[in-house]
């Protein structure tokens, strides 16, 4: 059973929560919070390039100036070559848990020339140690993306806030079922994408 897809009072309740865009109270991406020391421990408990998930410390941190490039790759695709950057820290949330990834930009200067990297997708590596930012350059060239360079990150605030509200609406529905002591339906999957969010329940 997938609420948000069927015309029942509960599904209507879910759709209202999942599509509202002007909530007047703060909504978080996740209830999990990591201290700076815990995040740092996570980042350095791996071999090779790895990323400190700074996004766990503050849902509303949209700008960050303390990250360095640790890996640069090019990936061939149907739409042309894409660039993948891994940084030692990031405020950009990767896709996961039913939630789409952040979008945004990374910027810095090399020899007086501006470099602007448009982040179109964020994902975790197979090992989970790297957070990969995939996108394209809108200013500068691939040879200007150098390991060790410091970058400034800017998250698309409008997109982040929408994703946070959709994700929180799914958790709110789970909480409502717990409060109502509904025991014959078990949450199985959350889909928090703007094109049709829902929470799946197993009966």
């Amino acid at each position: 059973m997938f609420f948000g897809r069927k015309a029942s009072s509960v599904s209507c309740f879910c759709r209202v929560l999942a599509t509202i865009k002007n909530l007047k109270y703060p909504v978080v991406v996740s209830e999990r919070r990591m201290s700076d020391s815990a995040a740092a421990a996570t980042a350095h408990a791996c071999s090779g390039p790895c990323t400190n998930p700074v996004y766990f410390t503050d849902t509303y941190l949209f700008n960050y100036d303390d990250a360095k490039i640790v890996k640069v790759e090019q990936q061939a695709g149907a739409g042309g070559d894409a660039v993948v950057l891994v940084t030692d820290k990031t405020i950009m949330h990767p896709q996961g848990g039913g939630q789409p990834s952040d979008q945004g930009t990374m910027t810095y200067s090399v020899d007086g020339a501006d470099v602007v990297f448009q982040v179109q997708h964020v994902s975790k590596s197979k090992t989970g140690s790297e957070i990969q930012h995939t996108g394209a350059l809108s200013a500068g060239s691939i040879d200007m993306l150098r390991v060790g360079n410091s970058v400034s990150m800017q998250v698309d605030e409008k997109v982040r806030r929408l994703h946070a509200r959709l994700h929180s609406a799914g958790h709110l529905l789970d909480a409502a079922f717990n409060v109502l002591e509904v025991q014959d339906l078990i949450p199985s999957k959350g889909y928090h994408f703007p094109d049709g969010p829902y929470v799946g329940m197993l009966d």
Side-chain angles (χ1 to χ4, degrees):
M1 180 181 296
F2 292 94
F3 290 100
R5 298 285 187 182
K6 296 185 178 181
S8 67
S9 58
V10 177
S11 67
C12 290
F13 173 65
C14 180
R15 285 200 301 272
V16 169
L17 289 176
T19 57
I20 196 164
K21 294 184 174 72
N22 295 308
L23 298 178
K24 295 182 180 179
Y25 50 86
V27 186
V28 298
V29 172
S30 169
E31 293 182 359
R32 290 180 296 172
R33 285 293 179 267
M34 296 174 66
S35 67
D36 290 338
S37 58
T42 299
H44 296 292
C46 61
S47 59
C50 50
T51 308
N52 181 339
V54 179
Y55 53 82
F56 274 135
T57 65
D58 186 352
T59 297
Y60 302 109
L61 181 60
F62 303 118
N63 297 281
Y64 192 68
D65 296 323
D66 189 25
K68 291 183 179 180
I69 297 173
V70 297
K71 188 176 181 180
V72 181
E73 290 184 342
Q74 280 188 287
Q75 293 183 347
D81 289 346
V83 178
V84 179
L85 292 186
V86 178
T87 52
D88 63 341
K89 304 173 187 176
T90 187
I91 57 170
M92 296 190 183
H93 205 290
Q95 180 174 321
Q99 178 172 312
S101 80
D102 279 331
Q103 300 170 23
T105 59
M106 295 187 195
T107 59
Y108 67 98
S109 295
V110 176
D111 300 327
D114 291 335
V115 178
V116 181
F117 179 66
Q118 301 290 339
V119 179
Q120 300 158 349
H121 184 73
V122 187
S123 59
K124 285 187 177 181
S125 63
K126 292 182 179 179
T127 63
S129 61
E130 296 179 3
I131 297 177
Q132 301 168 331
H133 309 80
T134 302
L137 287 161
S138 60
S141 57
I142 185 68
D143 61 291
M144 298 171 71
L145 296 173
R146 302 167 186 168
V147 171
N149 281 6
S150 296
V151 297
S152 296
M153 295 183 173
Q154 301 83 34
V155 171
D156 186 318
E157 180 177 347
K158 183 178 179 180
V159 171
R160 162 70 70 82
R161 287 184 180 274
L162 174 58
H163 292 171
R165 291 185 177 106
L166 295 175
H167 198 153
S168 293
H171 285 293
L172 184 57
L173 184 62
D174 288 345
F177 273 77
N178 288 331
V179 170
L180 295 172
E181 298 182 352
V182 178
Q183 298 179 355
D184 56 343
L185 294 176
I186 302 172
S188 65
K189 178 182 179 180
Y191 182 82
H192 310 303
F193 285 65
D195 64 345
Y198 64 84
V199 175
M201 299 285 181
L202 297 177
D203 54 18

